[in-house]
Amino acid sequence: MPDPRQSGEKQAVVIGGGISGLACAYRLQQRGMPFTLLEASDKPGGLIGTVEEDGFLFESGPQSFQGSESLLQLVRELGIESELRKADPRAPRYVLRNGKLLKIPMSPQAILGTSLLGLGSRWKVASEPFRKTQPPSEEESVAKFVRRKFGHEILEYLVSPFVSGVYAGDPEKLSLRAAFPTLEEWERAYGSVLRGAMKSRSAQPKERKSAGAPPLCSFQHGVSTLAQSIAAKLGDRVVLGAHVEALRPCDPGGGITQIQFTQNGRSDTLVANAVVLATPAPAAAHLVASVAPLLTRKLAGIAYAPVAVVGLGYYSEQIGQPIDGFGVLIPRAEDIRTLGIVWNSSLFEGRAGEGRVAITGIIGGATDPDVVNESDQAIACIVQLDCERVLKITGAPIASCVWKHPKALPQYNLGHGHVVKAIREGERATPGLFFAGNYLSGPSIGKCIEEGFATAESAAAYLQGGAAGHV
Ligand SMILES: Cc1cc2nc3c(=O)[nH]c(=O)nc-3n(C[C@H](O)[C@H](O)[C@H](O)COP(=O)(O)OP(=O)(O)OC[C@H]3O[C@@H](n4cnc5c(N)ncnc54)[C@H](O)[C@@H]3O)c2cc1C
């Protein structure tokens, strides 16, 4: 890459090749912007990782993604539509209650008829549209909001397990405004979240309404196909094994930054007019110390929940419980350590081979952070015993893999909105510095891609002479 101080050509460097950084670099490429992506590990994708072993296909991170219209458009652009696999949209999800698997009600009508909840809770749902309320002036936790609107049972058996599934979070700490902003908006606008949901649905165009919720998707060879296909499009602009150590402003106020990195034990530098930090927040906190020191504390203060992922393979006849859906979420009151079990081979073909099943247990999270300090063997053992109990499994697994993510998911805890606002202000105050990542506008793959695209548009506009900061 030429030195912009000599060539006059403006260029961007994206740091971090998870899905956020890949999406950002892809959009920069589409905009015709010269760029380089530096990724510390030896593969693109970050938390995304598919492992194929002995005929089993396991995911070490995200198990699937929601096929939103923008994500499906990207899949078409990448030419990997034929590899896309959509799960059956009717596949049920379950919650464990008193040791039994009960279907999660997916509509207000289904909530009224579910045996998962007592009569009192069902009445609270039915009457919610008629009990108009307003959000309190101070920021509210998810737990406080749900207790106030729907009561403890709905928190315990529906919302907390769901929060574990998305954020591996603690609902007592998670901010409603930051994690589920539409719920607060609906309460403010209509006095009722169910009324808000109905209004928002009726405002949708007819085609969107009949299409229903975006399907859960993966690829024939797993979620990694998405990251690998983007990286393939970026070609030799992706530099793997390049760990960025520090950023140095070259000409104060001029917006040119020197990026110091090591690759294969050798130190090297790049110079860029725009730097996109697409790393997790702790790494970004370290890197901004010399260019935007005020942001270091904000970024370092974002809490992360640790998670361990255990892939298990069995012969079908070992499973005593029908597994005909997405999987099961396990409320903390059930006294089982595993947070949830995904039934991979029920969702997508080609995960286990004939007569076999692949399942994945997720354990840890903000309410049980210490489990990732256990050995792989100990973690596999805990999850295996939990799966045996929940799914009535007999005999040992024929395949078992463990992956630990000490900083798996950023926590959108109380105050998170102020942190994101400060990061945006810091971006505007530091010409040429941009952020992307799962701690900004949502942790899902779809949100990371949208955030990566938006950051690329801001960086491209800046390089073309526009204003600093996120558009
Ligand atoms: C167990 C688990 C299950 C999940 N399940 C789902 C799911 O089912 N569906 C869904 O939509 N989402 C899911 N998610 C969330 C989603 O996978 C992540 O939020 C998303 O992949 C994060 O992407 P990212 O690019 O922002 O960050 P990351 O994937 O963390 O990527 C950051 C990259 O930056 C690199 N990096 C860090 N420091 C440096 C440095 N100094 N120099 C160079 N490179 C550096 C890292 O090596 C890494 O590759 C799950 C997450 C986890 C952990």
Side-chain angles (χ1 to χ4, degrees), residues 44-333:
L47 288 166
I48 297 174
T50 305
V51 176
E52 292 190 71
E53 219 172 79
D54 301 331
F56 286 100
L57 188 153
F58 294 115
E59 302 285 356
S60 60
Q63 306 293 308
S64 56
F65 55 88
Q66 272 211 322
S68 63
E69 200 29 63
S70 61
L71 219 155
L72 296 182
Q73 168 64 23
L74 173 64
V75 167
R76 285 191 286 273
E77 285 173 22
L78 294 168
I80 50 174
E81 220 180 344
S82 65
E83 292 183 53
L84 187 72
R85 298 289 178 270
K86 292 182 185 172
D88 180 351
R90 291 158 306 176
R93 293 148 194 258
Y94 293 84
V95 167
L96 194 73
R97 181 149 198 184
N98 299 326
K100 287 202 180 69
L101 270 67
L102 300 174
K103 276 186 190 165
I104 298 184
M106 299 303 281
S107 67
Q109 291 86 336
I111 290 184
L112 297 183
T114 183
S115 55
L116 177 64
L117 303 168
L119 201 59
S121 296
R122 286 184 273 154
W123 168 248
K124 279 188 181 133
V125 175
S127 59
E128 194 269 346
F130 309 102
R131 287 181 284 115
K132 286 196 171 185
T133 53
Q134 278 300 304
S137 51
E138 76 279 12
E139 195 180 3
E140 205 175 23
S141 72
V142 170
K144 215 165 168 191
F145 164 80
V146 178
R147 270 193 222 102
R148 174 169 65 77
K149 294 288 283 181
F150 298 103
H152 180 74
E153 192 184 33
I154 290 188
L155 173 66
E156 189 80 42
Y157 281 94
L158 274 183
V159 177
S160 296
F162 174 74
V163 161
S164 293
V166 179
Y167 286 94
D170 179 349
E172 302 292 345
K173 294 184 180 160
L174 215 56
S175 154
L176 183 78
R177 190 173 294 166
F180 304 105
T182 40
L183 297 185
E184 191 181 287
E185 281 159 27
W186 284 340
E187 187 184 20
R188 180 162 294 116
Y190 307 107
S192 146
V193 288
L194 291 180
R195 213 180 264 265
M198 287 183 286
K199 293 263 186 203
S200 126
R201 194 175 141 70
S202 59
Q204 281 176 5
K206 218 168 161 192
E207 320 79 69
R208 277 264 298 282
K209 246 184 283 184
S210 54
L216 272 186
C217 299
S218 184
F219 294 93
Q220 186 179 356
H221 291 286
V223 181
S224 284
T225 298
L226 183 62
Q228 283 162 0
S229 305
I230 302 176
K233 284 269 180 214
L234 304 178
D236 63 4
R237 303 322 306 160
V238 176
V239 184
L240 297 175
H243 187 274
V244 176
E245 309 288 347
L247 306 181
R248 302 262 173 260
C250 292
D251 56 340
I256 294 183
T257 307
Q258 188 187 60
I259 296 132
Q260 299 177 347
F261 64 99
T262 50
Q263 196 185 21
N264 302 326
R266 260 191 47 231
S267 296
D268 212 335
T269 57
L270 269 182
V271 232
N273 305 79
V275 175
V276 177
L277 285 172
T279 66
H286 165 71
L287 292 175
V288 294
S290 55
V291 286
L294 292 180
L295 288 185
T296 293
R297 258 197 37 224
K298 295 280 176 200
L299 286 157
I302 298 175
Y304 275 67
V307 159
V309 176
V310 181
L312 295 167
Y314 294 93
Y315 292 113
S316 310
E317 59 265 23
Q318 289 180 267
I319 317 286
Q321 172 78 45
I323 53 170
D324 60 345
F326 178 87
V328 55
L329 292 168
I330 305 172
R332 299 302 78 208

Side-chain angles (χ1 to χ4, degrees), residues 422-457:
I423 293 169
R424 295 300 182 214
E425 283 165 8
E427 263 180 336
R428 280 190 289 277
T430 319
L433 182 67
F434 299 89
F435 295 88
N438 61 358
Y439 57 91
L440 290 162
S441 60
S444 71
I445 289 180
K447 285 284 180 197
C448 288
I449 290 174
E450 282 171 23
E451 180 66 33
F453 283 171
T455 306
E457 297 294 359

